[in-house]
């Protein structure tokens, strides 16, 4: 596995101490975006492993086991929050998902529930079956009745790699050398994408401790802009 993919980091053009670089440095203004360039983006969007500001969200089609639906990323007509997790994760994934649940609640308070889709994709389909996903939702306080939170489950580990790593650029690597879990664990990047209804990425938030207020505000700005069209 390439280190660039695993870390979800900067490509060769951007290495060598340019961590302060942002998408605003690019001479090409992205089209069909609402938000201003992301100031804390690590590098120009073209130099990142995952899709970032101004780039199209890669196509994917995955089943949502808890609702029985199939979600087609190319056909979404809502603002989407997309990330990759595994529910057995003893630390970072739980932190991230709890924060996204907080965002879901803020979205509901702003009466934007029907305009937003939360799409956490598991890259551990062997363990993350329907029961595990439902238990995860219950433990985190996900409002499944709202109809805007869909756990997506690839059909196999190979399918997970194809969608999460190859298409979304969120690297992960299975390992048996971890002390955190019995059987196997994952080394993985933590990236959350915010895409507008046209399928263009507005934000790529790194790390599990996303700012709930910031994400909710970004969502509101995108939804309101598209609603005004």
């Amino acid at each position: 596995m390439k280190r660039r993919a695993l870390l979800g980091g900067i490509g060769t053009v951007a290495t060598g101490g340019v961590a302060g670089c942002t998408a605003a440095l690019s001479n090409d203004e992205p089209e069909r975006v609402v938000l201003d360039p992301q100031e804390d983006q690590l590098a120009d969007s073209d130099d990142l492993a995952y899709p970032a500001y101004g780039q199209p969200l890669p196509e994917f089609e995955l089943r949502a086991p808890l609702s029985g639906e199939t979600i087609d990323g190319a056909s979404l007509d809502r603002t989407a929050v997309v990330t990759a997790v595994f529910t057995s994760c003893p630390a970072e994934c739980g932190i991230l998902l709890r924060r996204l649940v907080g965002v879901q609640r803020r979205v509901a308070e702003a009466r934007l529930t029907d305009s937003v889709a939360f799409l956490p994709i598991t890259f551990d389909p062997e363990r993350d079956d329907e029961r595990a996903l439902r238990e995860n939702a219950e433990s985190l306080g996900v409002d499944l009745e709202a109809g805007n939170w869909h756990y997506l489950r690839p059909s196999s580990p190979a399918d997970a790699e194809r969608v999460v790593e190859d298409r979304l650029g969120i690297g992960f690597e299975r390992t048996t050398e971890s002390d955190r879990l019995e059987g196997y664990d994952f080394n993985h990047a933590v990236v959350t994408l915010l895409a507008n209804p046209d399928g263009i990425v507005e934000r790529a938030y790194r790390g599990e401790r996303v700012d709930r207020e910031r994400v909710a505000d970004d969502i509101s700005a995108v939804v309101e802009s598209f609603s005004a069209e």
Side-chain angles (χ1 to χ4, degrees), residues 186-225:
F186 288 95
N187 297 318
H188 64 97
V190 182
V191 179
T192 303
L193 306 174
L194 173 62
N196 65 37
D198 279 348
I200 303 300
V201 175
E202 298 271 1
R203 289 288 182 264
Y205 311 102
R206 287 185 61 98
E208 64 269 27
R209 299 187 184 278
V210 296
D211 185 326
R212 288 169 284 235
E213 295 293 343
R214 175 190 180 187
V215 178
D217 287 347
D218 288 344
I219 289 173
S220 295
V222 174
V223 171
E224 290 172 7
S225 177

Side-chain angles (χ1 to χ4, degrees), residues 135-192:
E135 289 177 350
N136 184 254
E138 292 174 354
S139 69
L140 297 174
V142 175
D143 184 0
L144 293 176
E145 295 300 319
N148 67 344
W149 184 291
H150 301 277
Y151 289 96
L152 302 184
R153 181 176 181 265
S155 60
S156 65
D159 191 32
E161 183 175 351
R162 178 182 61 83
V163 174
V164 175
E165 185 167 84
D166 296 346
R167 293 196 176 181
L168 293 176
I170 302 176
F172 66 92
E173 183 175 39
R174 180 166 165 161
T175 177
T176 58
E177 298 179 357
S178 169
D179 295 327
R180 306 192 311 171
L181 294 175
E182 292 185 10
Y184 62 90
D185 196 353
F186 288 95
N187 297 318
H188 64 97
V190 182
V191 179
T192 303

Side-chain angles (χ1 to χ4, degrees), residues 23-36:
L25 297 182
S26 174
N27 292 325
D28 297 326
E29 291 294 331
E31 299 179 355
R32 296 156 57 201
V33 292
V34 172
L35 303 178
D36 291 332

Side-chain angles (χ1 to χ4, degrees), residues 119-133:
L119 305 175
I121 304 171
T122 177
F123 46 82
D124 187 14
E126 290 179 293
R127 291 184 296 207
D128 283 339
D129 55 16
E130 181 176 342
R131 178 178 177 179
L133 295 174

Side-chain angles (χ1 to χ4, degrees), residues 105-121:
R105 292 171 181 162
R106 286 160 173 78
V107 164
E109 291 168 358
R111 300 183 179 181
L112 301 176
T113 294
D114 292 340
S115 299
V116 183
F118 293 86
L119 305 175
I121 304 171

